[in-house]
Amino acid sequence: MVSQSTRVAIIGGGMGGLTAAIALTRIAGVDVTVFEQASRLGEVGAGVTVAPNAARVLDALGVLDRIRSLGAVPDGHGVYLDAMGGLVTDAAWEDSAKRYQNIGMYRPDLIGALAAEVDPERIRLGHRLRSVEPLGSGVRLAFENGVEEDFDAVIGADGIHSVVRKSVDQHPDPVYSGYIVYRGVVDASRLPENWPMISQVWMGDSRHFMCYPLQQRKLFNFVAGIPSDRPLNGPWSGSAEVSELAAEFAGDGWDPRLQSFIAAIERTFWWGLFDHEPLTNWSNGPITLLGDAAHTMLPHQGQGVNQAIEDSMALATFLAAADGVDGIPEAFRRYAAVRMQRTAILQNGSRRAGAMFDAQYEFANLEKRDADIRVGRDFRRGAVFDYDAQKVAEQALTRFRRIPA
Ligand SMILES: Cc1cc2nc3c(=O)[nH]c(=O)nc-3n(C[C@H](O)[C@H](O)[C@H](O)COP(=O)(O)OP(=O)(O)OC[C@H]3O[C@@H](n4cnc5c(N)ncnc54)[C@H](O)[C@@H]3O)c2cc1C
């Protein structure tokens, strides 16, 4: 068994790293230290959906009630609309048991709620990882501020441009997808009267627009996906003019309701979208990956953070069953074997969802696109929302126990 004397470092204090810290402390009972490069924990001023598959994990970790109280549960299912606002189909928003629903979260609220569950002494800010050196047993971490420290294991939750990933294998870097999003939040009081408290996605030629409520319905999140040949070898996000965004959805080919939503926006910023082929290997001895570091994916299924939350539960379950410190590499291999399959499906599905939203799907065959979105809705409820990361990891452990290590 691993124990409180097993020292595990988590690189990255984002939503993935903080959830991993909670899960590893509460489920595996190990001694966790989170290293974050920034001088304070924070997130961009935009929204994120905590989906039922992640809500189930957060419930098992004892943090769901707080998160739900800060977020916004929609009034019912969301809708997919064509460019003029015609209904294509409704969207899945809860699991089959109707126990967990989508929760729209303002990102700074979610990071704050997760951080509040981690002992502040276990979070070391201003520590930018430079390198990971494998030792006979464990790893030596070197930070840009000159600190060096040894741990029994390290988890790379350091996002899309992960440094830890380089210590796992010769993986290619994520690539720019050719799309940017305009993102931001708008005060709900600025929206037209009786604006529906649900998620809505308008799908038009080469672009789409999504919005949903956040923060006890006081805010609405928006994400507008647009093709762009903006070179992204420099910064991959920045501030933008609302007029640029409005111009992308102007004219009589777009729903006037959508245009009235855009007219209420005061501020926006752009963000480059990166994609990654599923990695072939997530772990190397006592080093493993979690969240975007392991499975950067396009945001079109809203599953990036949700998968990081599932990863955290699976990792904690496998680590809790490890045969002491020497058993950690095997626990990490087992974790990766289970999680790589799951996240590869979502990486590929997110790419496909983007092509659907932007009417680029199957050579712009919109009838087929609409039929496939309807099928996808049921898949989303069953295969994505009903997934129980803890149960799947426990079942896998039973199978692995029958195979000699
Ligand atoms: C437009 C858009 C909408 C999205 N919507 C959703 C959604 O609705 N639902 C969803 O589930 N996902 C969504 N996502 C995806 C989601 O934002 C990411 O998957 C998620 O933020 C990844 O979390 P993470 O903790 O793995 O990485 P990050 O959030 O990137 O955190 C990594 C952390 O590591 C730190 N770090 C990096 N390098 C180092 C280093 N060398 N040393 C120390 N610290 C380091 C960083 O400062 C950061 O704090 C969306 C993404 C976009 C772009």
Side-chain angles (χ1 to χ4, degrees), residues 12 16 36-37 49 107 127 129 158 183 292 302-306:
E36 166 57 44
Q37 63 183 358
T49 300
R107 285 171 177 256
H127 282 66
L129 183 79
D158 49 345
R183 312 170 68 180
D292 275 14
Q303 278 290 322
V305 172
N306 292 301

Side-chain angles (χ1 to χ4, degrees), residues 26-27 54-64 100 313 390:
R26 295 187 185 172
I27 306 258
R56 184 173 296 111
V57 170
L58 295 169
D59 200 11
L61 293 176
V63 298
L64 182 64
Y100 299 107
M313 177 56 94
Q390 187 169 21

Side-chain angles (χ1 to χ4, degrees), residues 10-19 35-38 40-44 46-51 54 103 107 111 124 126-131 143-144 156-164 181-183 210 212 221-224 236 271-274 290-309 311:
I10 296 174
I11 309 300
M15 296 186 270
L18 291 174
T19 309
F35 292 96
E36 166 57 44
Q37 63 183 358
R40 62 180 197 86
L41 297 178
E43 252 290 354
V44 291
V48 64
T49 300
V50 171
I103 308 169
R107 285 171 177 256
I111 216 91
R124 310 252 293 267
H127 282 66
R128 182 176 170 78
L129 183 79
R130 197 178 61 222
S131 63
F143 295 89
E144 289 191 353
D158 49 345
I160 181 168
H161 301 296
S162 171
V163 171
V164 180
V181 284
Y182 290 93
R183 312 170 68 180
M210 168 183 285
Y212 56 84
N221 184 57
F222 64 87
V223 181
W236 47 291
W271 195 276
L273 295 186
F274 283 72
L290 177 145
D292 275 14
H295 45 69
T296 297
M297 63 181 76
L298 292 169
H300 308 305
Q301 289 193 315
Q303 278 290 322
V305 172
N306 292 301
Q307 289 308 301
I309 292 171
D311 291 343

